[in-house]
Amino acid sequence: MVLNILFAITVIFLERKKPSSTWAWLLVLFFLPFVGFFLYLLLGRQLRKKHLFRWDGRKDIGIEQLINYQIEAIENNELELRTENIKNYSHLIYMNLKTNNAVLTQDNDVKIFDDGSDKFEALISDINHAKNHIHIQYYIFKLDNLGQRIINALIKKAKQGVKVRVLFDEMGSRGIRKRHFKELIEAGGEVEVFFPSILPLINPRLNFRNHRKIAVIDGRIGYIGGFNVGDEYLSLSDRFGYWRDTHLRIEGSAVHPLQTRFILDWNQASAKNDIIYAERYFPIIPQKGTAALQIISSGPDTEWEVIKNNYLHLIANAKKYVYIQSPYFIPDESFFDAIRIATLTGIDVRIMIPNKPDHMFVYWATYSYVGPLVEAGAKVYHYEKGFIHAKMIVVDDEIASVGTANIDVRSFSLNFEVNALIYDRLLAHRLAEIFERDIMDCSELTLELYKNRSNYTKFRESMSRLLSPIL
């Protein structure tokens, strides 16, 4: 009891958490007085933010000068924005520059992948054609058939003298250790683990995971999106069936911010193999396309919830429609209110979630949030073909966001995430078409179905929603 009181005081007065999270932890401490004590030590503590990600090479690539130039140019209405579509979002571009150092690039060619086989065939082909370096970062990296194919390709390139680096998250890649990459390391590759445990099953940073998925080939080709490495992402899992996800392949200057993000994450995880600046990591890239992108990242190390703030801006400024795909939909109050207000003002709001849950509490918490939105007039679809893991928002055939961040508190403030913000009508329209095609594989959660749900379902919703701030 004394320990519970002390920890309650810590949660309320010292940690200064959000009220919703504070109440959730107080409930855990009250109902699980002994277990809750250890759960809080593992999951409840805040992360020390100071100097978590550092890299002196940012000065060498001139990123700070470019950021300052773009900020000043927007303030003076002098920044060259090449299409009218981009000009409509100059305020959003400015916010991302100020709060996230997210440089705007306008020369990108982007390919959209909505199928795992196509995405990984392209990635392995790019690995096979690499000439200088390969940087691979995934939240989940399994050494099954797909994982071994990628490792074999990396080993081959390492033996040819290509610099290969692989970074994975320990909790996402449970059971995988650096020793499992022995052959790659012996071939000259390097492997690092993000926030590893101090001792087996003891990790004081258990709650803060690197959920990013990034690949950079020769500083010229970049990948970002929702696919991890594992056979289930090729739709080979009996449990999940067809795996529906969204990933981007980028050629253009937006690859440089992806490279910078990888290097920052790598150097945080690396004990003695830090990456120092070299021109080969940031080659001059001839113009490949005309798509404008900002690479935005967020995590518990940042002052601002950057990705969430982008979502809120997109929703608040929608004029016609908002399409959302997310495997987890457990929004905080600000996001929930924004999407409900958009619905009530006549915006066509459509939300697509799985009907095949991978986390039961998360599933019922999701149900508790989408139900009131259906009552407000939103359309909610359950994906029936398999499991939908895409993290995508597209608005008005004008702008879209694709990346790693889900619609939940964990992605907003606990996980390290990265998204590509796409200011391009053709790409936004294509993503909207994919969403509308996916509706053909969905069942709609109608108002009648929601109101006629069983009392047991209502109970599960209520219990899961109470814990939603810490799920």
Side-chain angles (χ1 to χ4, degrees):
M1 182 61 70
V2 172
L3 284 175
N4 269 359
I5 292 172
L6 290 175
F7 270 88
I9 292 172
T10 300
V11 170
I12 295 171
F13 295 108
L14 299 181
E15 293 275 345
R16 298 185 68 85
K17 296 177 179 293
K18 294 178 181 178
S20 58
S21 181
T22 297
W23 280 110
W25 276 114
L26 289 176
L27 283 170
V28 170
L29 290 171
F30 179 79
F31 285 109
L32 301 171
F34 184 74
V35 177
F37 172 82
F38 292 100
L39 286 175
Y40 182 81
L41 288 177
L42 289 175
L43 303 176
R45 299 169 64 196
Q46 294 182 338
L47 183 70
R48 295 182 62 185
K49 302 178 181 180
K50 189 176 181 180
H51 304 311
L52 186 60
F53 296 102
R54 292 179 295 176
W55 184 50
D56 293 336
R58 290 170 64 90
K59 299 176 183 177
D60 297 309
I61 62 176
I63 190 81
E64 294 177 358
Q65 296 93 322
L66 181 56
I67 290 166
N68 291 332
Y69 164 74
Q70 290 191 347
I71 289 173
E72 185 176 347
I74 290 179
E75 290 175 343
N76 296 325
N77 199 28
E78 296 175 350
L79 184 63
E80 180 187 1
L81 300 174
R82 298 176 184 172
T83 68
E84 194 65 33
N85 185 50
I86 309 175
K87 294 177 183 177
N88 294 335
Y89 293 95
S90 60
H91 291 92
L92 182 58
I93 295 168
Y94 182 80
M95 180 183 76
N96 289 327
L97 283 163
K98 291 281 286 186
T99 64
N100 201 234
N101 294 328
V103 171
L104 174 71
T105 61
Q106 303 182 70
D107 61 347
N108 302 287
D109 179 71
V110 180
K111 180 176 177 58
I112 301 168
F113 292 103
D114 57 11
D115 178 82
S117 296
D118 295 338
K119 181 259 176 174
F120 284 107
E121 288 302 323
L123 176 62
I124 292 172
S125 175
D126 286 331
I127 289 172
N128 289 335
H129 289 91
K131 298 290 191 294
N132 187 274
H133 65 274
I134 302 167
H135 291 161
I136 300 286
Q137 173 180 354
Y138 282 97
Y139 173 63
I140 297 173
F141 199 118
K142 295 184 178 180
L143 295 179
D144 50 16
N145 291 330
L146 174 62
Q148 199 57 57
R149 278 189 65 197
I150 293 174
I151 291 298
N152 289 340
L154 294 175
I155 291 171
K156 180 179 178 181
K157 300 309 293 187
K159 289 180 177 179
Q160 293 174 1
V162 174
K163 190 62 181 178
V164 174
R165 295 181 174 95
V166 175
L167 174 63
F168 64 91
D169 183 87
E170 184 186 70
M171 291 306 300
S173 306
R174 285 183 291 274
I176 303 299
R177 298 291 182 268
K178 288 176 67 172
R179 65 177 182 273
H180 294 130
F181 295 85
K182 179 181 178 182
E183 190 175 354
L184 174 60
I185 294 171
E186 289 176 346
E190 296 178 1
V191 179
E192 295 292 349
V193 185
F194 191 86
F195 279 4
S197 298
I198 298 174
L199 296 170
L201 304 178
I202 299 178
N203 192 328
R205 295 178 291 189
L206 178 67
N207 213 26
F208 308 106
R209 308 318 310 175
N210 197 319
H211 197 237
R212 296 168 183 147
K213 298 96 175 168
I214 296 172
V216 178
I217 314 296
D218 290 342
R220 299 177 181 275
I221 299 170
Y223 286 81
I224 180 176
F227 284 106
N228 289 293
V229 174
D231 287 348
E232 64 263 41
Y233 302 97
L234 299 179
S235 305
L236 299 177
S237 167
D238 292 335
R239 177 186 176 191
F240 293 110
Y242 182 75
W243 191 278
R244 173 64 188 86
D245 219 324
T246 302
H247 221 90
L248 305 178
R249 180 186 185 273
I250 301 169
E251 289 187 87
S253 296
V255 176
H256 288 178
L258 277 177
Q259 181 82 288
T260 301
R261 183 69 267 167
F262 174 87
I263 292 173
L264 287 166
D265 288 1
W266 175 271
N267 286 357
Q268 195 289 322
S270 171
K272 54 185 178 181
N273 295 315
D274 283 5
I275 300 174
I276 60 174
Y277 171 78
E279 289 185 3
R280 64 195 180 106
Y281 296 132
F282 297 91
I284 296 174
I285 303 176
Q287 181 165 340
K288 292 291 185 178
T290 59
L293 299 180
Q294 276 182 302
I295 304 299
I296 56 176
S297 56
S298 65
D301 62 308
T302 58
E303 180 180 359
W304 308 99
E305 294 179 329
V306 175
I307 292 177
K308 186 190 80 170
N309 290 343
N310 273 260
Y311 288 165
L312 293 178
H313 190 281
L314 294 181
I315 294 166
N317 288 276
K319 297 176 178 62
K320 299 176 184 177
Y321 74 79
V322 177
Y323 293 170
I324 299 173
Q325 288 177 323
S326 178
Y328 316 121
F329 190 88
I330 309 176
D332 64 4
E333 289 186 18
S334 62
F335 189 98
F336 182 78
D337 287 342
I339 203 72
R340 184 163 56 177
I341 289 169
T343 302
L344 293 172
T345 56
I347 303 298
D348 180 11
V349 174
R350 305 187 186 190
I351 302 167
M352 192 174 296
I353 56 176
N355 199 29
K356 189 174 288 187
D358 61 343
H359 302 291
M360 194 56 65
F361 275 111
V362 173
Y363 177 79
W364 290 114
T366 294
Y367 211 78
S368 76
Y369 282 101
V370 297
L373 294 177
V374 171
E375 293 177 329
K379 295 180 180 177
V380 174
Y381 301 97
H382 280 128
Y383 189 74
E384 303 282 0
K385 186 177 179 181
F387 185 76
I388 188 160
H389 191 251
K391 302 98 165 46
M392 184 273 289
I393 293 182
V394 59
V395 174
D396 293 346
D397 272 12
E398 289 190 346
I399 188 169
S401 177
V402 173
T404 68
N406 299 306
I407 310 298
D408 61 12
V409 174
R410 181 163 296 280
S411 281
F412 291 165
S413 58
L414 294 177
N415 283 343
F416 299 93
E417 306 281 5
V418 62
N419 278 21
L421 198 61
I422 307 167
Y423 305 91
D424 186 88
R425 285 194 172 117
L426 289 176
L427 291 170
H429 179 70
R430 174 59 182 147
L431 288 166
E433 285 183 329
I434 294 172
F435 183 98
E436 291 165 356
R437 182 203 65 195
D438 288 336
I439 291 176
M440 304 299 293
D441 296 311
C442 293
S443 61
E444 185 175 353
L445 176 62
T446 64
L447 183 58
E448 181 182 4
L449 285 172
Y450 182 70
K451 286 186 173 180
N452 290 332
R453 67 197 190 282
S454 67
N455 289 330
Y456 182 49
T457 295
K458 294 177 183 178
F459 172 77
R460 286 184 289 183
E461 284 182 32
S462 299
M463 292 302 296
S464 298
R465 186 167 181 138
L466 280 174
L467 295 175
S468 64
I470 59 175
L471 286 176

